[in-house]
Amino acid sequence: DYTISGLKESGTDYPEGLEEKYTKLPNEVPERVYEKSSEITEGKENAFAKVNAIKQWLAKNKEYSLDATSTPPDTGLAEHFIFNTNKVYCSYFASAAAVMLRTQDIPTRYVSGYGGGSRNSEGDFAVREKHAHAWIEVYFPEEGWITFDPTSGSSEAYEEARVAEE
């Protein structure tokens, strides 16, 4: 259990080694990704506010779609998504959010799994590939790993696409 006030006040006193591991980025991440992330989070006083600023920017500027274009071979996925494309699926949202938050020294991890599912004709609960989803978890001292879904419209967009396929 956590509270919003607890997340806002959690600070940056991370367990030893956690910050280094979960803020690490490849050297190939372009400076413009750092700059854009800093621009979006400018003036935000805590990690929770920065997470929400990134989520809001993604929701305002990107659209969930199962018809995403592939990333050119000479461009990183997060960079391509942030600067070159608008219609993408959940893994792009989660990857970009993780990279953007890590540029701000906020411990973040990319998570993928399955959401939803449906009952089949025998009454069993079936989870299929179409129920796959990706999101992020952000570490807050004293609170632990907290799940955030940066996908535009979050579960609403995912659920609408899933139901449309059934």
Side-chain angles (χ1 to χ4, degrees):
D1 292 340
Y2 63 89
T3 64
I4 299 301
S5 61
L7 296 179
K8 289 178 179 177
E9 297 168 5
S10 67
T12 58
D13 188 20
Y14 302 111
E16 187 175 333
L18 186 132
E19 184 176 17
E20 181 182 348
K21 181 176 182 178
Y22 291 102
T23 60
K24 189 179 292 187
L25 287 166
N27 293 333
E28 296 81 26
V29 173
E31 188 61 33
R32 70 182 190 153
V33 173
Y34 286 85
E35 291 167 1
K36 185 65 168 177
S37 303
S38 293
E39 174 189 317
I40 293 167
T41 60
E42 185 176 358
K44 304 304 178 200
E45 296 181 12
N46 57 62
F48 182 74
K50 291 178 181 185
V51 170
N52 283 310
I54 296 289
K55 281 184 61 177
Q56 289 170 5
W57 184 84
L58 291 170
K60 181 179 177 184
N61 294 284
K62 306 299 176 179
E63 183 180 338
Y64 179 82
S65 174
L66 293 176
D67 298 323
T69 58
S70 60
T71 304
D74 61 337
T75 307
L77 185 134
E79 179 189 17
H80 178 68
F81 173 52
I82 294 165
F83 297 104
N84 300 320
T85 189
N86 291 324
K87 291 186 175 185
V88 295
Y89 41 86
C90 58
S91 59
Y92 281 79
F93 280 94
S95 294
V99 169
M100 294 172 90
L101 290 168
R102 283 180 174 211
T103 69
Q104 302 304 296
D105 297 322
I106 298 172
T108 307
R109 60 187 181 191
Y110 173 96
V111 183
S112 63
Y114 293 87
S118 57
R119 296 239 181 248
N120 62 22
S121 58
E122 290 83 39
D124 296 324
F125 198 69
V127 178
R128 297 185 172 84
E129 182 62 29
K130 66 183 175 184
H131 300 117
H133 194 52
W135 57 94
I136 60 169
E137 291 178 342
V138 177
Y139 189 85
F140 292 87
E142 306 299 321
E143 304 293 343
W145 290 104
I146 305 297
T147 299
F148 291 90
D149 190 346
T151 301
S152 182
S154 289
S155 59
E156 295 87 8
Y158 168 71
E159 185 65 20
E160 285 176 20
R162 185 187 66 77
V163 170
E165 290 183 355
E166 290 183 350

